[in-house]
Amino acid sequence: TKLRESVSVKDFGAVGDGTTDDTAAIQAALTASNGVSFGDSSNNYLVNGAINLSSNQFISGENAKITQSASDTEIFNSNNKSNISIHGINFVGASDTFLDSDSARSVALYIENTGGSQFNFYNNKFENFRYTSIRAKNVTDVNFVNNIVIGPGTPTLTAVTSGSNYGFLADAGCVRVFVSGNTISKTAQGFRINSCTDVRITNNEIFDIDGQHGVYAGPGLIGVLIANNSIRNVDLIGIKVQQEASYVDMVNVIVSNNMIDTAGGDGIALLHASGSTAQTEKIKDIVVSGNVIRNTVAYGIVAQNCNNANVNNNSVHVAGGSGVIFSVCNQLTISDNHIMDVDLSGIRDQTASTNFNIKGNRIHNAAIDVTASDKYGIFLQGGSNLQVAHNIISDDDSKMEHGIYISGGTQTSQSVYGNIILNATGTAFRVGSSTDDFFILRNNAFIGTGGAATNNPDIDDVASATAVTIRTYQDTFRITGTTNITSVLTAGHAGHKVTLIFSGILTFTDGSNLKLAGNFTTSADDTITLICDGSNWYEISRSAN
């Protein structure tokens, strides 16, 4: 009857004094019963070698300690088993040396089971494991909740030798991984999740990471949420989402409402292992939203080889690189972010992207620590089908050279409108060539700028003719010559309002597609303002100057 209930390992001869080898007694208890108790915190069980679990096993304790004495092995092994739960145990690993290898199996629990399911670990403590607390591979429904993990820390871990030390590891093939409410410190990486499906990493405290990243996710993930975590004092990247060659596209990635404070690399990085050049493997359907990032040695947010990505409502304050940097992305929106006191440009690309929007961002004091190039509020290599709209870019320390600089690309497909730029030391807006055409270039306010107006687009001169054609991207034109005008091309101007400034005497004629308050006989410096409904131009006002 007792074996059908919960038994104590002491019923099978375990001592729990911290010096007696209790391996055999614990194995006997776990073989005999599905429910096994290790008692309270007065017990310290010494284990020398792996103990095999059975399916449907429930292990519990009230802070009882299990101490690993053997190197490069696990305490518990549950390969090819299912339905394992462990609660309230304090596991202590052997951390005298560090072996930078996934074969170093210094773990509390090692799981590998194609098709196995339901593994629950909650309210446990893991200390000093050289590899990881729990390593799971090819299993379904893994829950790691409200645990404390304290790694071996320095000097055992260093940035050079600590590539394979994790607070928790879900390896390839896991499905439905839930990691929440844990406290992780002094590991080389807080969490590592590889090639898994449906992953949730939420509400964890990750700090004092000795070697690498707070969270490492990738490659080949499908459906990952990294949200509401606090990540502080990490040697490299706060949250790293990395795709690699030969893996399926990473799909459906959400990184939201995390706090990242003090990182030796980037704050949040979504990138490819091969770098910023175009790669076959993509990260698709991405949201990076509501994160607060401060004190990074490198960039605030990085996006590479991303398709359909939204980077919005993030705060980046004090970064050693740009606030947001991206490359070879398609369908990317960077919106409503607040970027302040960054060493390089506020927002910039490394290589040209396509179909992207940069809108509604507030950038203050970009380029605070650079003496040449990369001294911009927003810098773009170019690309096609881009919009830069309604951003506010300001500088109060005389470091930012240009507010917006677009150096090339297909500028007939580029739109720049509704931006406010304050106090650039060079030009508010600079383009690769003063003759380049934009699809839209209007309603910007360039205030308080100084220096030469190099390549700053000028008001367009249009020669008078019977039928006049004006560009769609501007809203003010200087009409030269004296030929009377009877029509103005409407294609592409529906909803546009334009002002014409006349250089000489001519008649601007009411009729055809010009709906005026009578003919307008002009002289030098007279103006007329019109609005287009797609078929006709209607007079709003005129001024004889």
Side-chain angles (χ1 to χ4, degrees), residues 5-225:
E5 299 171 355
S6 177
V7 301
S8 168
V9 291
K10 290 191 174 183
D11 294 334
F12 293 81
V15 179
D17 61 1
T19 58
T20 302
D21 183 355
D22 288 320
T23 307
I26 294 172
Q27 181 67 79
L30 290 166
T31 301
S33 177
N34 287 340
V36 176
S37 172
F38 282 77
D40 59 25
S41 59
S42 65
N43 298 297
N44 180 9
Y45 302 93
L46 193 66
V47 171
N48 183 19
I51 297 172
N52 295 313
L53 302 183
S54 302
S55 292
N56 306 309
Q57 199 105 61
F58 180 80
I59 297 170
S60 65
E62 298 177 13
N63 297 316
K65 185 178 291 186
I66 303 176
T67 299
Q68 181 185 58
S69 63
S71 297
D72 304 326
T73 187
E74 60 269 26
I75 292 177
F76 291 145
N77 184 295
S78 61
N79 291 352
N80 302 312
K81 303 297 189 299
S82 291
N83 194 22
I84 305 292
S85 294
I86 299 178
H87 165 257
I89 304 295
N90 182 2
F91 294 95
V92 180
S95 63
D96 50 334
T97 60
F98 178 77
L99 180 63
D100 187 20
S101 169
D102 289 346
S103 65
R105 293 169 69 152
S106 173
V107 301
L109 180 66
Y110 199 88
I111 311 169
E112 185 167 352
N113 182 11
T114 302
S117 65
Q118 203 61 55
F119 298 88
N120 304 302
F121 314 104
Y122 53 99
N123 295 324
N124 300 288
K125 185 176 182 180
F126 304 87
E127 299 180 79
N128 298 327
F129 285 95
R130 293 179 297 142
Y131 184 36
T132 184
S133 60
I134 292 173
R135 184 264 199 180
K137 184 176 183 179
N138 288 324
V139 294
T140 300
D141 292 317
V142 182
N143 301 295
F144 190 76
V145 179
N146 295 335
N147 300 286
I148 297 172
V149 180
I150 303 173
T154 55
T156 301
L157 302 177
T158 71
V160 176
T161 64
S162 60
S164 298
N165 175 259
Y166 320 104
F168 170 83
L169 171 62
D171 217 336
C174 290
V175 178
R176 292 192 297 275
V177 179
F178 183 58
V179 180
S180 183
N182 303 284
T183 300
I184 311 293
S185 64
K186 298 188 181 304
T187 59
Q189 299 189 50
F191 300 114
R192 179 164 181 146
I193 312 294
N194 295 328
S195 304
C196 297
T197 300
D198 294 336
V199 176
R200 304 292 180 267
I201 302 174
T202 63
N203 299 295
N204 300 285
E205 293 280 337
I206 305 168
F207 60 95
D208 295 344
I209 299 302
D210 296 318
Q212 296 197 13
H213 319 300
V215 175
Y216 179 99
L221 291 167
I222 298 176
V224 58
L225 171 67

Side-chain angles (χ1 to χ4, degrees), residues 334-356:
I334 300 172
S335 64
D336 301 308
N337 300 286
H338 187 193
I339 298 169
M340 181 176 178
D341 294 333
V342 295
D343 283 6
L344 304 179
S345 297
I347 297 173
R348 71 155 296 160
D349 60 356
Q350 293 174 293
T351 55
S353 298
T354 57
N355 304 310
F356 62 97

Side-chain angles (χ1 to χ4, degrees), residues 297-488:
V297 170
Y299 304 111
I301 298 172
V302 180
Q304 296 176 356
N305 286 280
C306 295
N307 288 357
N308 188 26
N310 292 278
V311 179
N312 62 76
N313 291 298
N314 301 285
S315 174
V316 178
H317 183 202
V318 185
S322 296
V324 178
I325 190 166
F326 60 98
S327 59
V328 287
C329 293
N330 185 25
Q331 298 293 345
L332 169 66
T333 298
I334 300 172
S335 64
D336 301 308
N337 300 286
H338 187 193
I339 298 169
M340 181 176 178
D341 294 333
V342 295
D343 283 6
L344 304 179
S345 297
I347 297 173
R348 71 155 296 160
D349 60 356
Q350 293 174 293
T351 55
S353 298
T354 57
N355 304 310
F356 62 97
N357 304 312
I358 299 175
K359 60 183 182 180
N361 300 284
R362 177 73 168 89
I363 301 171
H364 182 65
N365 287 351
I368 63 173
D369 192 27
V370 61
T371 57
S373 69
D374 218 349
K375 300 172 63 176
Y376 319 113
I378 297 174
F379 174 82
L380 304 173
Q381 303 277 356
S384 59
N385 300 326
L386 70 86
Q387 296 182 45
V388 182
H390 303 298
N391 301 284
I392 300 174
I393 303 170
S394 60
D395 179 75
D396 61 13
D397 59 8
S398 300
K399 296 291 183 65
M400 182 181 72
E401 184 177 6
H402 305 298
I404 299 173
Y405 189 176
I406 301 177
S407 67
T410 309
Q411 292 187 296
T412 53
S413 68
Q414 298 172 356
S415 301
V416 179
Y417 57 91
N419 300 283
I420 298 173
I421 299 174
L422 306 170
N423 301 330
T425 61
T427 57
F429 177 53
R430 179 170 177 167
V431 295
S433 170
S434 59
T435 61
D436 285 348
D437 293 341
F438 281 79
F439 181 65
I440 298 174
L441 178 59
R442 56 162 58 99
N443 299 327
N444 299 288
F446 299 155
I447 302 170
T449 59
T454 307
N455 290 338
N456 221 5
D458 296 322
I459 293 175
D460 196 25
D461 287 345
V462 178
S464 62
T466 302
V468 169
T469 298
I470 57 177
R471 293 171 173 170
T472 59
Y473 75 81
Q474 282 184 296
D475 53 15
T476 304
F477 302 88
R478 183 179 290 104
I479 306 298
T480 63
T482 58
T483 301
N484 294 334
I485 299 172
T486 58
S487 67
V488 177

